[in-house]
Structure formats: structure tokens, C-alpha cells
């Protein structure tokens, strides 16, 4: 799901369409979450109650279909213009020609 998107992002020139970048990001995000929603019940059945209790909350959330549905189409509380990537990494746009930079915020 993400490989073609990342390849596209890596090939972008300094000036690019943010709308197109966001469209591709959102489509990949939704496809990833849709896959997790389909797999979550099977994963939950594989784990015992004790194993599920031992999962860190940030991992357990990825087998909770209600949580997944809530984050499917948005950035789940991210700042305007930012992109939430898998694993809770927030990418914020910034920088400019020759000095492009991103701010990465990891939320646990």
C-alpha cells in the first residue's frame, strides 16, 4: 500500500501539489486502516485475553475496530496541514527550496 506512495513522494520536485500529495496519502491511509479493520478480529482471536492485556496501548489500539474506524479518514487530532503516518508519526510541512525540512512528532 505505502511503497508506491513513498516512491511518488520521493520523486517530488521542490514545488509540488499539496492537494495531490494529501490525496495519495489519504488513499493509502484509508487502505491501510481498511486492511487492519479486516484483520483485527482474526488477530484478536489468535491472542488470549492475557496476551491482549499485555499489549502496550498504542499497539492494542490497532486491533480495536472502533479506534481504527475513528482514525480512518482523518489525521486524528493532528495539526492542520500535517500528515499522520503509521505508528503515530506526524509529518508537518515546512521548509523551502534547498532547505526543505519536516518536523516529526512521535506520539505514544
Amino acid at each position: 500500500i505505502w511503497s508506491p506512495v513513498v516512491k511518488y513522494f520521493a520523486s517530488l520536485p521542490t514545488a509540488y501539489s499539496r492537494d495531490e500529495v494529501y490525496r495519495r496519502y489519504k488513499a493509502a491511509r484509508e487502505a491501510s486502516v481498511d486492511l487492519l479493520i479486516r484483520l483485527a478480529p482474526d488477530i484478536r482471536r489468535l491472542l488470549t485475553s492475557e496476551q491482549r492485556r499485555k499489549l502496550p496501548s498504542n499497539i492494542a489500539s490497532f486491533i480495536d475496530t472502533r479506534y481504527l474506524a475513528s482514525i480512518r479518514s482523518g489525521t486524528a487530532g493532528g495539526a492542520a496541514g500535517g500528515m499522520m503516518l503509521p505508528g503515530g508519526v506526524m509529518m508537518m510541512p515546512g521548509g523551502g527550496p534547498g532547505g526543505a525540512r519536516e518536523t516529526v512528532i512521535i506520539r505514544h
Side-chain angles (χ1 to χ4, degrees), residues 27-90:
R29 176 192 177 82
E30 290 175 350
S32 294
V33 174
D34 289 345
L35 181 58
L36 284 171
I37 288 170
R38 286 194 308 273
L39 293 173
D42 294 333
I43 295 168
R44 288 183 62 84
R45 279 191 293 273
L46 286 172
L47 300 173
T48 66
S49 295
E50 182 180 348
Q51 288 171 323
R52 286 193 305 269
R53 281 192 301 274
K54 290 181 179 180
L55 291 173
S57 61
N58 63 327
I59 300 301
S61 63
F62 288 109
I63 59 172
D64 178 347
T65 55
R66 291 175 298 170
Y67 169 77
L68 293 169
S70 76
I71 67 164
R72 182 183 182 273
S73 295
T75 54
M83 288 188 224
M84 183 65 76
L85 301 175
V89 176
M90 175 67 80

